[in-house]
Amino acid sequence: MTSCMSPHHSSYEFSKRTQSAIGFDLLWNQIHGNCLTSYGRAYIEEDPFLSTVEAIEIKMEQVLAAKEWLKNASPALLGSVQEIRDFLNTAQKAEILSAVDLKEVAHTLLLLSRIQPALKAGRASAELMGIVDSLHDWHDFALAIVRCFDEHGHLLSNASPGLKIAREQAFELQERMRTKMTRLIEALDEQGILQDPYFTLRNERYVLPIRSGAMGQVEGIVHDTSQTGHTLFVEPSANLNLGNKIAVALGEVKVEENKVLKELTQTILSRVDEIFLDLECVGQLDATFAQGHLALQLDAQKPIVKQDAKTHSLYLKDARHPHLVLQALDDNTQVIANSISFAGAQGLVLSGPNAGGKTVVLKMVGLMVAMVKAGLPIPASAESQIPLFDGVIAMVGDGQSIENAMSTFSAEASALKEVLDSVVKAKGGQNLLVLLDELFAGTDAQEGGALARASLEYLSDAGASLMVTTHLEAVKRMAAESDASRGTFKSMFMAYNPETNQPTFHLHTDGTGQSYAIQTAENMGVPQRILRKALMYFHGVTAGQERSFNTLLEEKDV
């Protein structure tokens, strides 16, 4: 079976800068943190983007299956699967694994054998079982290794006939030595020669604690002294021959233990390729559960996925920004859903009030396109349609750079140059989604509007799909004119409620929105004196008309 093999990944135009701009990196890091094993985290660290509709749909079905399974069960078993790849790599270098390492490998293999039964017990779907259907049954194989060790990880004597004989012989000699030492202690203790009436081991030799002043009364070899120097640890000469036999016997025990460890290492090595493959399956399963956990939090659905972005328009129905959904879980709030449709247009121009949600919607579109490309369900209606773009390029935020001596405008122009170069490089921009937030807002409105319009027309002529947020009248006018003639661009706007003086965060189609900058400033706590002056200047009121204008504002409670 090849169910655990990594899916085909695509060459995807999606820079780290864009991933950060639209929040994909944060979402992927959360999935990474949801993994219970090092194998799952390694799987997540691979290139996430898939190349075909078939691969994406298979992945989404697996994630949705994990989502359903997690509603009634837990993958806690995976949390006990330890990292053993270093041990396997050591074995492949013809090195002998230690008893502790071998036992760890065996216990991990036993856990792998429990995964399929655990999934079946939880009534896992065929999509989820398909990830692990090639897992091997390691129960008997691993149990044969585990039974060679005690609970502390030490080799048992019955691990091999040779080890059993060697240990019995060593034990018999040690018993003889203990008997001799006990008799000798009884004799020497009466003479006041011993510091204490016991024997001990030094360098695996049996020794007695002799008073330093009585050394001449016991013939033997000094192996050690106490810290005070008052006690000498002496191996009596009468025991040297038996001590040597014990040393030889213990050497034989070590030889037999190494033989067992070597044989067990060879046993592992004989199936090391299968073990590595099964660990990849565990990684994929763990990663799928981590993605399923996210899908459960987002109440994510599988959209309609189309291969060609040039013949199928992007459509998001009742879409909610993933990060806002996750935040709402903690805040116990509701996230406003919006629908976005290109409806045959090549570009969307989104206008509306400051702090009204334009950038949030822009990022949401890019994030959901990237999520689908990575095989993740999205928090939107299953009627949504996502074409497979060959890349996403986002220009979001103030690019001012003190280090590079760039103003906001200079940095924006430099960033746009990079976008234009990427579009040209990508076969004329075909199948690219370009997201531009407040393009050229950092300069004179008239010049900025002219530059923005010319740039958008260039990008559309190059074949890129576009979405841009703006306050510039030139850009809004271009979109409105194009929209009216069913041309390249379509207008959309974020709504504002003049009665509450607050944005509604609802997206509306077929129209342009005001910026409501003065009203937003008021919501942010700007002093009334400044706001009234601003309204006066905005409406072209002269200094001589100021008093009557203020009276009018007071009457209207503005």
Side-chain angles (χ1 to χ4, degrees):
M1 298 295 294
T2 59
S3 57
C4 293
M5 301 299 288
S6 297
H8 295 291
H9 296 282
S10 66
S11 177
Y12 197 39
E13 173 65 46
F14 196 16
S15 67
K16 295 293 183 182
R17 179 176 177 177
T18 291
Q19 291 185 42
S20 176
I22 65 175
F24 181 81
D25 57 343
L26 294 177
L27 204 66
W28 206 247
N29 287 339
Q30 176 156 342
I31 293 171
H32 186 278
N34 287 343
C35 291
L36 299 176
T37 70
S38 57
Y39 311 109
R41 290 186 286 273
Y43 187 90
I44 290 297
E45 288 163 8
E46 295 179 3
D47 177 13
F49 302 116
L50 305 171
S51 60
T52 66
V53 171
E54 180 183 12
I56 288 171
E57 289 186 338
I58 289 173
K59 181 63 182 176
M60 281 194 183
E61 289 294 345
Q62 292 172 343
V63 173
L64 289 174
K67 169 190 169 185
E68 290 303 312
W69 195 84
L70 288 169
K71 290 179 179 179
N72 302 303
S74 166
L77 172 64
L78 293 178
S80 301
V81 177
Q82 299 300 309
E83 174 59 76
I84 61 171
R85 286 174 295 192
D86 287 345
F87 303 147
L88 302 180
N89 290 331
T90 297
Q92 289 183 312
K93 296 175 183 176
E95 297 180 26
I96 298 175
L97 296 179
S98 70
V100 173
D101 295 349
L102 284 164
K103 190 176 180 183
E104 191 71 69
V105 171
H107 273 298
T108 298
L109 294 178
L110 281 175
L111 287 172
L112 297 193
S113 293
R114 292 170 54 191
I115 290 176
Q116 282 187 345
L119 290 177
K120 290 177 181 177
R123 298 183 179 180
S125 67
E127 290 80 10
L128 206 54
M129 292 301 300
I131 298 175
V132 296
D133 62 3
S134 63
L135 278 180
H136 298 82
D137 183 359
W138 296 104
H139 183 269
D140 294 344
F141 178 87
L143 201 58
I145 297 174
V146 170
R147 285 173 175 168
C148 292
F149 303 96
D150 64 18
E151 59 183 0
H152 303 294
H154 302 133
L155 275 172
L156 294 170
S157 295
N158 61 7
S160 77
L163 179 59
K164 183 177 181 181
I165 292 172
R167 284 185 174 174
E168 287 175 349
Q169 291 175 344
F171 180 79
E172 181 181 348
L173 292 172
Q174 289 170 327
E175 281 294 296
R176 285 171 56 190
M177 176 64 80
R178 283 189 281 269
T179 300
K180 290 188 68 173
M181 293 295 277
T182 299
R183 290 173 181 172
L184 193 55
I185 287 170
E186 292 174 355
L188 296 177
D189 190 39
E190 293 178 357
Q191 302 174 35
I193 295 174
L194 298 179
Q195 191 71 262
D196 291 294
Y198 70 87
F199 65 87
T200 186
L201 290 171
R202 288 294 187 274
N203 302 321
E204 296 187 347
R205 306 293 291 196
Y206 287 80
V207 296
L208 295 171
I210 306 297
R211 295 179 185 274
S212 58
M215 178 56 198
Q217 300 181 49
V218 178
E219 184 178 350
I221 299 173
V222 178
H223 287 279
D224 197 8
T225 60
S226 66
Q227 290 183 350
T228 63
H230 296 158
T231 304
L232 304 176
F233 294 96
V234 179
E235 180 181 13
S237 298
N239 292 350
L240 287 177
N241 186 42
L242 181 56
N244 291 338
K245 290 181 179 180
I246 290 173
V248 171
L250 291 177
E252 286 297 319
V253 169
K254 289 183 179 179
V255 168
E256 291 300 325
E257 287 177 344
N258 282 334
K259 284 182 181 178
V260 174
L261 295 178
K262 183 177 181 181
E263 289 175 3
L264 293 177
T265 300
Q266 289 296 326
T267 299
I268 295 291
L269 196 57
S270 68
R271 299 187 65 182
V272 70
D273 290 339
E274 297 170 62
I275 297 174
F276 272 122
L277 286 175
D278 280 6
L279 294 177
E280 286 184 19
C281 285
V282 171
Q284 183 179 348
L285 180 66
D286 186 23
T288 303
F289 274 127
Q291 293 163 336
H293 179 70
L294 177 67
L296 186 60
Q297 289 179 301
L298 298 177
D299 189 23
Q301 307 296 323
K302 176 186 173 186
I304 301 166
V305 185
K306 296 294 184 180
Q307 185 71 43
D308 190 359
K310 305 312 285 183
T311 57
H312 297 92
S313 294
L314 185 147
Y315 170 52
L316 291 173
K317 181 179 180 182
D318 298 331
R320 296 165 297 137
H321 195 296
H323 291 306
L324 294 183
V325 175
L326 294 175
Q327 183 179 325
L329 294 176
D330 297 326
D331 300 343
N332 196 27
T333 56
Q334 293 294 321
V335 178
I336 294 172
N338 281 300
S339 298
I340 302 100
S341 175
F342 275 70
Q346 193 173 338
L348 298 181
V349 174
L350 180 56
S351 56
N354 291 282
K358 297 187 301 299
T359 301
V360 171
V361 170
L362 180 80
K363 290 181 177 182
M364 179 182 70
V365 171
L367 181 53
M368 290 198 176
V369 168
M371 288 174 68
V372 168
K373 188 75 171 176
L376 296 178
I378 58 176
S381 166
E383 297 176 25
S384 301
Q385 176 175 284
I386 306 287
L388 293 191
F389 294 97
D390 292 331
V392 178
I393 304 174
M395 228 177 88
V396 180
D398 183 355
Q400 184 181 46
S401 172
I402 294 175
E403 293 82 1
N404 296 322
M406 283 188 175
S407 67
T408 298
F409 175 77
S410 299
E412 191 171 19
S414 177
L416 179 63
K417 173 65 165 55
E418 292 180 14
V419 172
L420 299 175
D421 289 343
S422 296
V423 169
V424 171
K425 183 179 177 181
K427 299 178 181 178
Q430 292 183 8
N431 282 349
L432 283 182
L433 175 63
V434 179
L435 306 172
L436 303 170
D437 185 36
E438 306 288 0
L439 186 61
F440 289 127
T443 189
D444 174 79
Q446 188 172 355
E447 291 187 78
L451 279 169
R453 177 168 184 168
S455 300
L456 294 173
E457 289 174 348
Y458 177 90
L459 289 168
S460 66
D461 289 343
S465 296
L466 304 168
M467 186 169 181
V468 59
T469 64
T470 191
H471 290 288
L472 298 173
E473 289 300 324
V475 177
K476 290 193 279 186
R477 187 167 56 251
M478 174 201 71
E481 292 170 355
S482 179
D483 199 0
S485 61
R486 297 187 178 181
T488 302
F489 293 96
K490 179 180 177 182
S491 290
M492 307 182 82
F493 67 97
M494 303 302 295
Y496 190 89
N497 188 339
E499 294 182 3
T500 62
N501 212 26
Q502 295 285 343
T504 68
F505 304 108
H506 285 286
L507 180 64
H508 290 239
T509 59
D510 304 325
T512 58
Q514 298 180 41
S515 295
Y516 293 98
I518 296 175
Q519 291 86 337
T520 303
E522 181 180 13
N523 293 336
M524 295 297 106
V526 174
Q528 285 295 320
R529 182 179 178 183
I530 295 176
L531 295 171
R532 290 196 173 190
K533 281 279 188 181
L535 283 169
M536 186 182 79
Y537 297 142
F538 179 73
H539 290 289
V541 177
T542 65
Q545 299 170 317
E546 182 175 355
R547 178 174 295 181
S548 58
F549 181 74
N550 285 334
T551 301
L552 179 63
L553 291 179
E554 290 172 359
E555 290 175 354
K556 293 192 174 186
D557 195 24
V558 176

